[in-house]
Amino acid sequence: MALHGGAIIDPEKDYGSEIAHMRELVELARKQLAAGDAAIDIASDIVREMEMSGLYVAGRGASPNDEGWYELDAAVMDGATARGGAVAALQGFKSPVAVARAVMESSPHVLLVGRGAAGFAQRSGLEPVPDDGWYTHVGSDPSAARRENRPFGTVGCVVLDRSGRLAAATSTAGIFGKQAGRVGDSPILGAGTWADRFCAVSCTGHGEFFLRTAAAVQLAHRVHYAGQNLDEAAGAVLREVRTLGGSGGLIAIDAQGRIAMPFVSAGMKRAALSVDGSSSADVL
Ligand code: ASP
């Protein structure tokens, strides 16, 4: 499995807590994999843990949009069944990835947005945010946020389980100080999140460029139809993102458990557990 805590790194910041947290999550995934849990459950659980930690710009650590609202995006995709669920511009729920999972499991739809997504989350009994004080960024002045230009902190996870099933999950508050109503790549299957029988992918970075390149599914199709290996495919996708003027990174895993975690940004928070049992967690 692999996970990320977003591309773009502040060189002044100490990422000790994030690295320690990512290590814990790798160990959690190791246990779940050993127990034979399904890839879709592990990917959803890991992303939910990241949302709840407040350490990343997703879930509790979300940043507000330019009107001061917390509008969150998330997606899950199960490669074994080609089923997916997603929410965009969701307000008022602690775990957008849990809502995305509920869309996949208990609705006939794939993507719900805004008020309708919140109504669905409420009817599904998902945990609401008590008030905006729950968010660690509360009080951020959105215009200052835009000036600070610290956009990236999405979280994501890709998993290959013991039965050979692949899954991906991604969750974000999007770009720091984003325009109200703006939706990035994360909840769009094929752009920021994708899983099929060949690969699982979760992207992070300037979402508009990952949307314009259909980054996640492009990677999978390069592997499946063009016969590229995971590193080649991931590198080619990020080159396209960069050529258009974007930046960011991605995590990908294939059906043999090969992992790629490249980025074309100042850095990326990322961790991985390999098929041979070795693990890594770093902020590069
Ligand atoms: N890709 C996300 C978005 O554009 C942001 C991020 O990865 O930090 O919404």
Side-chain angles (χ1 to χ4, degrees), residues 6-7 73 151-154 172-175 182 184-186 203-208:
D73 304 334
F152 306 112
T154 294
T172 189
I175 291 199
R182 180 264 186 192
D185 60 316
S186 310
C203 302
T204 174
H206 201 152
E208 280 71 8

Side-chain angles (χ1 to χ4, degrees), residues 208-262:
E208 280 71 8
F209 295 92
F210 289 79
L211 282 161
R212 288 168 60 195
T213 52
V217 72
Q218 184 193 146
L219 192 162
H221 286 179
R222 281 176 178 277
V223 169
H224 183 46
Y225 296 114
Q228 295 184 346
N229 70 40
L230 203 67
D231 283 328
E232 283 167 352
V237 167
L238 288 187
R239 269 197 303 282
E240 247 186 61
V241 165
R242 196 175 44 193
T243 302
L244 292 177
S247 67
L250 59 85
I251 53 172
I253 188 166
D254 69 13
Q256 286 71 47
R258 284 182 288 250
I259 290 171
M261 302 191 290

Side-chain angles (χ1 to χ4, degrees), residues 9 16 37 74 95 103 130 142 168 180 202 214 227 230 233 260:
I9 295 305
D37 290 4
S95 174
V103 171
S202 172
L230 203 67

